[in-house]
Amino acid sequence: MKVYYLNRERFSKGDTKIAFEFAKKLILENPNLKILTFLVYQQRQYEAFLSEIGFTKQHYKNHGVVAKNGVRIQIHTIKTYNPDYQFAGSPQHEVLIAVGVPPKELEKYEDKSDIYACIVIPWLLDENVSFLNLHEAINIETNESVATNYNIDQRVVNAINWLKATSYPNEGYHHPNDEKRLQEMSNALAHYSVPLDYDSVIYCGMHNGLLPSAARQTANAFVKAQQRKFPVKGEHNYPFYKRMMETEEH
């Protein structure tokens, strides 16, 4: 999922229309894009956030309209929205315009393979900085990516790559052995005082083949162990995990 954003300190009139025009350009450039969705936090925001597009109460009631070019324009809140799988198996087909939606809610859609792009119109820009940085979001007015500067220790990169090769993080570390490897590697990183922080681990995971949800789960474990190590059965085999985090190819 590509992430774009409107660089405003806070939401103001006209922002939704700017994003709408940008979304229409994306759709014109990509014939696979069949759905354009406006997403707001709650229903009472429809009028305040979307009226400048020309939507009516009937559009809100019907959750959208089909445009003349055949593109379906959807209108949803976080309670009524569910990414559309009508085109399952086809290339990404949906553009999502999130108006004033908190980043914690946007995280729920990061893994959705049918969303081609998410255009973030922030209520307050400061609240979205982490989400935008992690996705190297592109300013829709300047076409420039946000500047990111994550300081990632190579041992963290190697640890993530080893877990990816052995423990199926994209499937959620569901097997007990996979979860154990995650916890023991997290403990080892803490034991050897490897510097890391939550966002840098997520960024590293996302840019090394992990789904965003898997990257966040990995980051949660790494950071939790820094505060209190996971209890594991048997002796801690720290030398083995040290070798794994110092090995660049897995």
Side-chain angles (χ1 to χ4, degrees):
M1 179 177 74
K2 296 182 179 180
V3 175
Y4 298 88
Y5 76 109
L6 191 58
N7 189 18
R8 300 283 191 274
E9 290 300 321
R10 64 175 300 122
F11 178 84
S12 62
K13 185 177 180 181
D15 289 353
T16 307
K17 193 168 184 179
I18 293 171
F20 185 37
E21 294 301 319
F22 180 79
K24 288 193 290 186
K25 289 181 182 179
L26 291 180
I27 290 170
L28 282 173
E29 295 169 359
N30 188 340
N32 293 316
L33 299 178
K34 305 295 184 183
I35 298 173
L36 171 58
T37 301
F38 288 91
L39 181 68
V40 300
Y41 188 73
Q42 52 191 344
Q43 189 172 339
R44 65 185 179 87
Q45 296 173 325
Y46 280 160
E47 191 71 22
F49 287 172
L50 306 179
S51 60
E52 62 191 13
I53 303 299
F55 292 133
T56 66
K57 290 183 179 180
Q58 191 62 41
H59 291 143
Y60 301 145
K61 183 178 179 180
N62 294 337
H63 293 294
V65 63
V66 177
K68 291 181 180 179
N69 61 359
V71 173
R72 190 170 60 199
I73 301 176
Q74 299 186 141
I75 305 168
H76 284 286
T77 68
I78 58 172
K79 289 185 178 180
T80 64
Y81 175 62
N82 186 32
D84 198 307
Y85 292 95
Q86 176 180 337
F87 303 94
S90 68
Q92 294 165 304
H93 57 263
E94 183 172 358
V95 176
L96 177 65
I97 300 179
V99 191
V101 179
K104 278 295 181 184
E105 295 296 333
L106 295 179
E107 289 174 13
K108 298 175 182 178
Y109 313 117
E110 289 176 312
D111 288 357
K112 301 299 184 182
S113 60
D114 45 344
I115 299 176
Y116 172 78
C118 175
I119 304 171
V120 178
I121 307 177
W123 175 247
L124 292 174
L125 185 62
D126 286 348
E127 296 176 350
N128 292 267
V129 169
S130 175
F131 183 86
L132 297 175
N133 285 346
L134 288 170
H135 288 274
E136 298 183 329
I138 299 171
N139 186 326
I140 65 175
E141 294 180 304
T142 66
N143 202 38
E144 295 179 350
S145 299
V146 294
T148 56
N149 186 28
Y150 293 105
N151 185 19
I152 305 171
D153 191 290
Q154 184 61 44
R155 289 169 292 180
V156 175
V157 179
N158 297 341
I160 290 173
N161 287 337
W162 179 77
L163 288 169
K164 185 178 68 173
T166 62
S167 306
Y168 304 100
N170 284 342
E171 296 180 12
Y173 296 101
H174 286 310
H175 194 281
N177 289 339
D178 296 340
E179 183 181 20
K180 182 180 179 182
R181 279 189 286 267
L182 171 62
Q183 293 178 350
E184 291 187 336
M185 177 57 82
S186 300
N187 287 348
L189 289 165
H191 177 77
Y192 292 109
S193 301
V194 177
L196 58 86
D197 66 82
Y198 183 68
D199 275 11
S200 69
V201 176
I202 297 172
Y203 180 86
C204 180
M206 288 172 56
H207 289 79
N208 282 274
L210 299 191
L211 292 172
S213 61
R216 292 183 186 280
Q217 185 178 1
T218 303
N220 283 330
F222 283 10
V223 171
K224 184 176 181 180
Q226 301 290 310
Q227 300 161 356
R228 184 177 181 180
K229 293 178 183 176
F230 291 98
V232 294
K233 293 181 179 180
E235 296 182 2
H236 295 283
N237 191 0
Y238 288 138
F240 170 79
Y241 288 96
K242 185 175 187 289
R243 290 198 302 274
M244 294 305 98
M245 70 177 72
E246 291 178 348
T247 302
E248 295 194 19
E249 294 183 7
H250 294 289

